[in-house]
Amino acid sequence: MSLWWVMEGQKQQQQHSKSRVVKVNSEESWNMFITQAKNQGCPVFVHFGASWCVPSLAMNAFFEELAMTYQDILFILVDVDEAKEVASKMEVKAMPTFVLMRDDGTVMDKVVGANPEEIKKRVDGFVQSFLTPKIIG
């Protein structure tokens, strides 16, 4: 295998990993991504943060890691200063706030604060409940 091939693969992986979290900076882009998730039957995990909030910034790398682990979930990063109307509509009062939503937009869980272990536990539980086949009968 040539070195070029390896480097090209790494570059594509990096580009792919960067695309795992989408950034929302307006109500229009929020609506677009929520509609896309609904159409694809994809649950959503949202990180509401602010560029001036140190705990929020510290959680960005953790959020990226989660996005790499749970690839069936749409991960959205919302800067509350850029998308005030979205933060208001979702009743975000403190940063960071994490919201887990079903594919239909129903809020299933909300976690306030920078606690990676608690957030991972809640995401694990959410994924289990969301991906469990529903028995029709």
Side-chain angles (χ1 to χ4, degrees):
M1 186 181 305
S2 75
L3 183 57
W4 177 84
W5 184 258
V6 172
M7 290 175 65
E8 193 62 27
Q10 288 173 340
K11 187 170 26 166
Q12 287 176 353
Q13 272 186 328
Q14 288 172 346
Q15 288 171 345
H16 179 70
S17 69
K18 287 179 185 170
S19 68
R20 292 297 310 150
V21 175
V22 295
K23 188 165 194 274
V24 165
N25 55 11
S26 69
E27 191 167 15
E28 293 78 27
S29 61
W30 169 263
N31 291 334
M32 181 189 73
F33 284 117
I34 296 302
T35 300
Q36 182 181 356
K38 188 181 220 175
N39 292 341
Q40 295 175 356
C42 177
V44 180
F45 189 31
V46 189
H47 172 194
F48 288 93
S51 58
W52 48 263
C53 177
V54 173
S56 180
L57 293 173
M59 293 298 289
N60 286 345
F62 173 71
F63 197 62
E64 289 279 352
E65 281 178 38
L66 286 176
M68 293 302 292
T69 303
Y70 301 98
Q71 298 193 7
D72 294 334
I73 298 175
L74 173 62
F75 284 76
I76 300 177
L77 177 61
V78 178
D79 186 313
V80 297
D81 292 324
E82 293 178 5
K84 289 181 176 76
E85 59 283 338
V86 174
S88 177
K89 182 164 66 172
M90 297 301 293
E91 299 178 2
V92 173
K93 310 261 190 261
M95 268 66 65
T97 294
F98 297 89
V99 178
L100 286 159
M101 299 167 58
R102 293 190 63 81
D103 56 345
D104 64 3
T106 304
V107 173
M108 298 304 292
D109 201 359
K110 187 184 274 191
V111 181
V112 178
N115 183 339
E117 288 153 14
E118 180 64 22
I119 291 166
K120 174 122 176 48
K121 186 171 87 175
R122 301 254 191 118
V123 173
D124 285 340
F126 175 72
V127 167
Q128 291 304 314
S129 69
F130 189 83
L131 297 179
T132 301
K134 283 137 186 96
I135 298 171
I136 301 170

mmCIF file of all heavy atoms in Angstrom, residues 10 22 33 45 76 80 90 119 123 137:
data_model
loop_
_atom_site.group_PDB
_atom_site.id
_atom_site.type_symbol
_atom_site.label_atom_id
_atom_site.label_comp_id
_atom_site.label_asym_id
_atom_site.label_seq_id
_atom_site.Cartn_x
_atom_site.Cartn_y
_atom_site.Cartn_z
ATOM 1 N N GLN A 10 -6.566 8.793 5.488
ATOM 2 C CA GLN A 10 -6.617 9.535 6.748
ATOM 3 C C GLN A 10 -7.302 10.887 6.553
ATOM 4 O O GLN A 10 -8.083 11.318 7.395
ATOM 5 C CB GLN A 10 -5.203 9.739 7.307
ATOM 6 C CG GLN A 10 -4.596 8.473 7.860
ATOM 7 C CD GLN A 10 -3.140 8.661 8.257
ATOM 8 O OE1 GLN A 10 -2.468 9.580 7.816
ATOM 9 N NE2 GLN A 10 -2.652 7.748 9.083
ATOM 10 N N VAL A 22 -23.097 18.868 13.112
ATOM 11 C CA VAL A 22 -23.471 20.031 12.302
ATOM 12 C C VAL A 22 -23.692 21.220 13.216
ATOM 13 O O VAL A 22 -24.147 21.074 14.353
ATOM 14 C CB VAL A 22 -24.734 19.753 11.443
ATOM 15 C CG1 VAL A 22 -24.448 18.681 10.420
ATOM 16 C CG2 VAL A 22 -25.924 19.398 12.285
ATOM 17 N N PHE A 33 -32.420 20.963 9.634
ATOM 18 C CA PHE A 33 -31.828 19.736 10.165
ATOM 19 C C PHE A 33 -32.859 18.887 10.914
ATOM 20 O O PHE A 33 -32.844 17.661 10.826
ATOM 21 C CB PHE A 33 -30.623 20.040 11.055
ATOM 22 C CG PHE A 33 -29.406 20.416 10.277
ATOM 23 C CD1 PHE A 33 -28.849 21.678 10.413
ATOM 24 C CD2 PHE A 33 -28.814 19.519 9.405
ATOM 25 C CE1 PHE A 33 -27.725 22.040 9.682
ATOM 26 C CE2 PHE A 33 -27.694 19.871 8.664
ATOM 27 C CZ PHE A 33 -27.146 21.131 8.808
ATOM 28 N N PHE A 45 -29.309 14.664 18.851
ATOM 29 C CA PHE A 45 -28.677 15.038 20.111
ATOM 30 C C PHE A 45 -28.105 16.431 19.923
ATOM 31 O O PHE A 45 -27.298 16.664 19.023
ATOM 32 C CB PHE A 45 -27.589 14.035 20.478
ATOM 33 C CG PHE A 45 -27.025 14.212 21.865
ATOM 34 C CD1 PHE A 45 -27.784 14.698 22.906
ATOM 35 C CD2 PHE A 45 -25.713 13.866 22.131
ATOM 36 C CE1 PHE A 45 -27.263 14.852 24.187
ATOM 37 C CE2 PHE A 45 -25.178 14.006 23.401
ATOM 38 C CZ PHE A 45 -25.949 14.507 24.427
ATOM 39 N N ILE A 76 -26.087 17.948 16.693
ATOM 40 C CA ILE A 76 -26.193 19.366 16.338
ATOM 41 C C ILE A 76 -25.576 20.208 17.446
ATOM 42 O O ILE A 76 -25.872 20.005 18.620
ATOM 43 C CB ILE A 76 -27.667 19.781 16.136
ATOM 44 C CG1 ILE A 76 -28.309 18.964 15.014
ATOM 45 C CG2 ILE A 76 -27.769 21.275 15.851
ATOM 46 C CD1 ILE A 76 -29.784 19.262 14.807
ATOM 47 N N VAL A 80 -25.809 29.544 21.349
ATOM 48 C CA VAL A 80 -27.000 30.271 21.794
ATOM 49 C C VAL A 80 -26.967 31.754 21.423
ATOM 50 O O VAL A 80 -28.019 32.385 21.311
ATOM 51 C CB VAL A 80 -27.253 30.108 23.310
ATOM 52 C CG1 VAL A 80 -27.528 28.652 23.648
ATOM 53 C CG2 VAL A 80 -26.113 30.652 24.124
ATOM 54 N N MET A 90 -36.371 26.049 22.800
ATOM 55 C CA MET A 90 -36.031 24.801 23.479
ATOM 56 C C MET A 90 -35.873 24.998 24.991
ATOM 57 O O MET A 90 -35.465 24.094 25.694
ATOM 58 C CB MET A 90 -34.751 24.204 22.878
ATOM 59 C CG MET A 90 -34.889 23.821 21.413
ATOM 60 S SD MET A 90 -36.182 22.604 21.105
ATOM 61 C CE MET A 90 -35.492 21.189 21.915
ATOM 62 N N ILE A 119 -23.884 12.213 30.802
ATOM 63 C CA ILE A 119 -24.378 12.390 29.435
ATOM 64 C C ILE A 119 -24.239 11.079 28.658
ATOM 65 O O ILE A 119 -25.174 10.648 27.984
ATOM 66 C CB ILE A 119 -23.639 13.548 28.738
ATOM 67 C CG1 ILE A 119 -24.063 14.869 29.394
ATOM 68 C CG2 ILE A 119 -23.911 13.556 27.243
ATOM 69 C CD1 ILE A 119 -23.200 16.044 29.051
ATOM 70 N N VAL A 123 -27.254 8.960 26.967
ATOM 71 C CA VAL A 123 -27.269 8.654 25.536
ATOM 72 C C VAL A 123 -27.382 7.146 25.332
ATOM 73 O O VAL A 123 -28.156 6.684 24.490
ATOM 74 C CB VAL A 123 -26.018 9.220 24.818
ATOM 75 C CG1 VAL A 123 -25.963 8.746 23.366
ATOM 76 C CG2 VAL A 123 -26.014 10.740 24.869
ATOM 77 N N GLY A 137 -48.754 -5.791 17.662
ATOM 78 C CA GLY A 137 -49.558 -6.985 17.841
ATOM 79 C C GLY A 137 -50.756 -6.708 18.556
ATOM 80 O O GLY A 137 -51.755 -6.738 18.804
#
